[in-house]
Amino acid sequence: MFSGKEQIKIVVIDDHPVVAAGLESLLAKEKGFDVIAIFACGLDSLPFIEENEVDIVILDISLPDVNGVDLCRRIKSISPKISVLALSNHTERILIMQMLQNGASGYMLKNSPISEIVSCIHECLLGGIAYSKEVKDIILKPAINELNERPKITKREKQVLKLIEEGKTTIAMAEMLFVSPLTIETHRRNLMQKFGVKNALELIKISREQLLL
């Protein structure tokens, strides 16, 4: 779809300076690639993407201000023609599938060789869905608990989830949120049911994997 175009304009969104600079340096050596901007925070990139011609966004999932799954959807709403490629350390299949559901054109792991990253960029430019080799293996071997979508939780449940992560007691949470301990226990029970877990440790683990914490 980009045949005949002299330069492919690329934006990199990654809060690790070494990763971003290294990627920019490596892509600069590839004919036809032009990294036109680098952002450490996802929300900072949106005005630039709105105001400039961009072909590819290479996007980390873990960012300081927004998670990449949600940012991908926002980028695609600004310009559906932009190809978004995730470049992440996260290997959870549910996150890979959520990125694709939100319009991503591919998913790569940060340990992928540059040749594989370049190949993925070319593949998505041709209209395909591109995966690095390890990601293909992950997609082919889903865990049963990863087949469900990320549970939808309320604002209050998210507050309770954060306090559980911080190790707060039910009484402490009730005082902080100005509710009864019984209400906190109800939120705890609802969270565990939504995530299909039996204890707080499992709840925290799966919440971190799904970028809810």
Side-chain angles (χ1 to χ4, degrees), residues 34-157:
D34 182 16
V35 178
I36 59 173
I38 295 175
F39 295 93
C41 291
L43 298 180
D44 291 346
S45 71
L46 295 177
F48 182 90
I49 290 169
E50 258 188 298
E51 296 167 9
N52 294 272
E53 182 183 353
V54 178
D55 300 313
I56 296 273
V57 173
I58 298 179
L59 172 63
D60 191 4
I61 287 185
S62 296
L63 296 166
D65 59 339
V66 64
N67 80 64
V69 175
D70 294 332
L71 185 62
C72 177
R73 184 178 63 247
R74 294 179 68 169
I75 291 170
K76 295 296 288 188
S77 69
I78 291 171
S79 178
K81 70 176 184 176
I82 292 176
S83 295
V84 178
L85 273 173
L87 183 65
S88 176
N89 285 322
H90 286 283
T91 58
E92 295 81 14
R93 186 180 186 277
I94 190 169
L95 288 179
I96 297 170
M97 301 313 294
Q98 285 168 358
M99 282 296 292
L100 299 177
Q101 289 166 5
N102 280 3
S105 296
Y107 197 106
M108 308 171 292
L109 297 185
K110 287 189 176 181
N111 61 2
S112 304
I114 187 62
S115 59
E116 201 167 39
I117 293 173
V118 169
S119 176
C120 286
I121 292 173
H122 283 300
E123 189 172 343
C124 77
L125 287 173
L126 292 172
I129 302 294
Y131 310 108
S132 60
K133 183 180 181 303
E134 279 190 65
V135 172
K136 287 180 183 177
D137 293 339
I138 293 166
I139 290 173
L140 290 172
K141 297 178 182 177
I144 292 174
N145 67 338
E146 291 178 332
L147 294 174
N148 300 317
E149 291 186 6
R150 181 169 54 172
K152 291 180 172 60
I153 63 174
T154 66
K155 184 177 179 181
R156 178 66 86 190
E157 286 172 343

Side-chain angles (χ1 to χ4, degrees), residues 152-164 177 186-191 194-195:
K152 291 180 172 60
I153 63 174
T154 66
K155 184 177 179 181
R156 178 66 86 190
E157 286 172 343
K158 190 163 187 178
Q159 290 175 322
V160 172
L161 188 59
K162 182 66 177 171
L163 292 173
I164 290 173
L177 299 178
T186 299
H187 287 313
R188 275 183 183 269
R189 186 171 60 253
N190 289 343
L191 284 166
K194 286 183 178 183
F195 285 94

